Structures are given as structure tokens and as C-alpha cells.
Amino acid sequence: MADGRRVLLYFWGHETAPRIRNLVCVDAGDALVWQAELPPSDHPDCFVSLERDGDALAVRTFSGHRLTLCADTGALL
């Protein structure tokens, strides 16, 4: 990622909320750049996998959604 940014998928097991936004991007100083949104739903969910897909990120959720996100902004493509 540009400028020392890192995308982190962190373990969700310690969270108590039903919908856990556990996919973030931080800069070289560990400041939050963006936090990925889950697909709209009333059901519990979280992110479970992440892989680079060219200039994008391919992610999966616990509920089975496969999403493509912009690596620079975290926006859904």
C-alpha cells in the first residue's frame, strides 16, 4: 500500500457487537485511514478473509458475501 499503509483484518472474537467492522487500514503512524463497511443487513456479521486483487481487495464476510473494496479508500466497488 502507498505511504506505509497497512490493511488489517483483526480477530473478532473479543467483540460483543452483532456486526463487527474488523477490517481497517492504518497509516505508518498507526492512525486509522478507513474502516470497511459491512453489507447492509440486520443479521450478525464480520469480515473473515482478505486478499489482494490487483488494485482492489477481495474480502469475504461470515455470512458468505464476497465483496470488492478499493484498497485506497475501503469503499465498496
Side-chain angles (χ1 to χ4, degrees):
M1 304 232 27
D3 303 323
R5 291 180 175 184
R6 298 175 310 279
V7 175
L8 307 171
L9 174 66
Y10 63 86
F11 178 63
W12 51 268
H14 64 282
E15 299 278 347
T16 58
R19 298 184 53 78
I20 303 164
R21 295 172 53 202
N22 60 322
L23 180 63
V24 298
C25 177
V26 296
D27 65 16
D30 292 332
L32 183 66
V33 176
W34 54 256
Q35 185 174 26
E37 292 286 340
L38 288 163
S41 176
D42 293 332
H43 299 288
D45 212 355
C46 64
F47 294 100
V48 295
S49 72
L50 160 73
E51 63 184 70
R52 188 78 173 184
D53 186 9
D55 290 335
L57 302 171
V59 300
R60 290 190 186 271
T61 66
F62 185 78
S63 63
H65 292 280
R66 184 183 188 282
L67 308 168
T68 303
L69 304 176
C70 173
D72 292 327
T73 66
L76 187 62
L77 298 177

